[in-house]
Amino acid sequence: MARGAALLAMMATHVLPTYEQDPATSAWLPTWIGLAFSGRAAALFAVLAGVSLTLGSVPAAANRAGLALRAAVIAAVGLTLGLAEVNVAVILVQYALLFWCALPVVRLHRQALGLLAAAWLLGAPIVAYLVRPALLSAVPPLRLGHNPAWGDLASPARLLADLTVTGYYPALQWFGYILVGLWIGRADLGRAANQAWLVVGGLAAAVIAKACAWAFLSPLGGMNVLLGTEQARIWPLRAMLEANLSGVDQTGTWWWLTTAAPHSGTTLDLLHTCGTSAAAIGAFLLLARIGPLVRTGLLAPLAGAGAMTLTLYSAHVWALSLPLADAAHLTREALLAVHLAAALAIGLFVRANGWRGPLEWLAHGASRAGLLSSRAARTRRR
């Protein structure tokens, strides 16, 4: 259910604007979509990726070859979607890279994962801030400016820099979500007390992060410094700090690291979105205790969509590349309603029949092949 919610929220941020210009004052303002879902939806998707590595009959710790092959399938789908002409930042190649980065840590104990996650959330944004200017000042800049596609494999340095630091979903910071997800997944998630603690602790972390950002930017004067930068003359910075900071080059002043803006990749942004993700996971776990509500009730379509997010996400991106909305004279809101209804209906139908989505079937097959090859290798060594 949590994965289905993340998928639907990401669809909303893809179709509806996250900030827009007020026709009366010409000022740029965040929309309710930007305030509610921007940054949080994709972060929940990434945290759940970490949780998923601890679940199943054969967890990733016992099937690292399968995890690597599964990630390869996801990367191939992402590179193919990168060929589509669409105004959406496709996450799949970075998602696959995060799985590959998880290979060395999937066997760590929960305490070690917690310490590593905390250190990563603190240190990775600082490293990114220090490294990013050098990558952007290279000739040509080490940034793609578009979704990764097959042709970008010919420029590996530029592709790697974009995937890790300069792109929309920088893996350097986003790996923290995987670590937090692994840490959450190693808890006893069947206990109601742990589920409640995820909600309470997650909300507390989210509120503290936003409160700290407000203190830095308002009473301590950080906002005035940021509004005096060159970026403030290029972008509607006030609105973007509330809705989506992607595209803004956060260079020239350390005050960039004090924001909690969506997609800023700062420590406070990561802490806030980890908190909202944990709270969402805990809330859905508590809801899942009402079994009929999930199996046959109102939440069954959401669970169905969450069971095949790779297929539905890919179909959603592909559909956005087609001029169907213009041909049918659909408003953005109507287009979103079509995508949401289709995702819920397809997910429910597939789940009710006990099937897998086609891309889930392919990824599962790759994971299964990795498991069988690992077992065969161990048998040969014996």
Side-chain angles (χ1 to χ4, degrees), residues 251-304:
T251 58
T253 172
W254 287 90
W255 284 102
W256 289 113
L257 292 175
T258 66
T259 78
H263 291 292
S264 62
T266 65
T267 293
L268 293 177
D269 171 35
L270 297 176
L271 178 61
H272 175 78
T273 47
C274 282
T276 56
S277 299
I281 293 169
F284 280 114
L285 284 168
L286 289 170
L287 277 175
R289 302 180 75 85
I290 311 172
L293 193 65
V294 181
R295 289 192 296 270
T296 60
L298 297 175
L299 296 178
L302 190 60

Side-chain angles (χ1 to χ4, degrees), residues 56-286:
S57 57
V58 184
N63 186 20
R64 288 192 288 184
L67 173 59
L69 290 176
R70 175 184 168 195
V73 170
I74 295 171
V77 174
L79 291 171
T80 302
L81 285 176
L83 302 174
E85 293 291 333
V86 61
N87 188 28
V88 169
V90 179
I91 196 175
L92 293 183
V93 180
Q94 291 89 339
Y95 197 63
L97 178 59
L98 292 175
F99 278 142
W100 284 323
C101 291
L103 291 173
V105 301
V106 289
R107 295 191 179 188
L108 292 180
H109 295 297
R110 188 166 189 259
Q111 183 178 12
L113 285 168
L115 293 173
L116 181 58
W120 203 276
L121 296 182
L122 287 170
I126 297 173
V127 174
Y129 177 82
L130 294 173
V131 171
R132 190 185 298 115
L135 299 178
L136 294 177
S137 63
V139 182
L142 295 177
R143 170 189 280 171
L144 292 180
H146 57 260
N147 287 319
W150 289 104
D152 295 312
L153 296 176
S155 305
R158 188 173 174 220
L159 175 61
L160 184 61
D162 188 89
L163 294 178
T164 54
V165 179
T166 61
Y168 196 92
Y169 303 108
L172 177 59
Q173 291 108 303
W174 277 61
F175 186 56
Y177 292 132
I178 296 290
L179 294 172
V180 170
L182 283 166
W183 179 77
I184 291 173
R186 291 286 171 78
D188 183 359
L189 296 180
R191 293 184 59 198
N194 287 341
Q195 297 164 4
W197 271 115
L198 281 175
V199 175
V200 174
L203 290 177
V207 170
I208 289 171
K210 285 293 187 180
C212 289
W214 172 84
F216 280 122
L217 294 181
S218 294
L220 297 179
M223 179 65 79
N224 293 332
V225 176
L226 295 181
L227 292 178
T229 63
E230 180 63 27
Q231 293 299 307
R233 288 185 279 273
I234 301 173
W235 302 99
L237 198 56
R238 281 189 182 274
M240 294 181 75
L241 284 168
E242 294 185 72
N244 191 335
L245 203 62
S246 60
V248 176
D249 293 338
Q250 300 173 62
T251 58
T253 172
W254 287 90
W255 284 102
W256 289 113
L257 292 175
T258 66
T259 78
H263 291 292
S264 62
T266 65
T267 293
L268 293 177
D269 171 35
L270 297 176
L271 178 61
H272 175 78
T273 47
C274 282
T276 56
S277 299
I281 293 169
F284 280 114
L285 284 168
L286 289 170

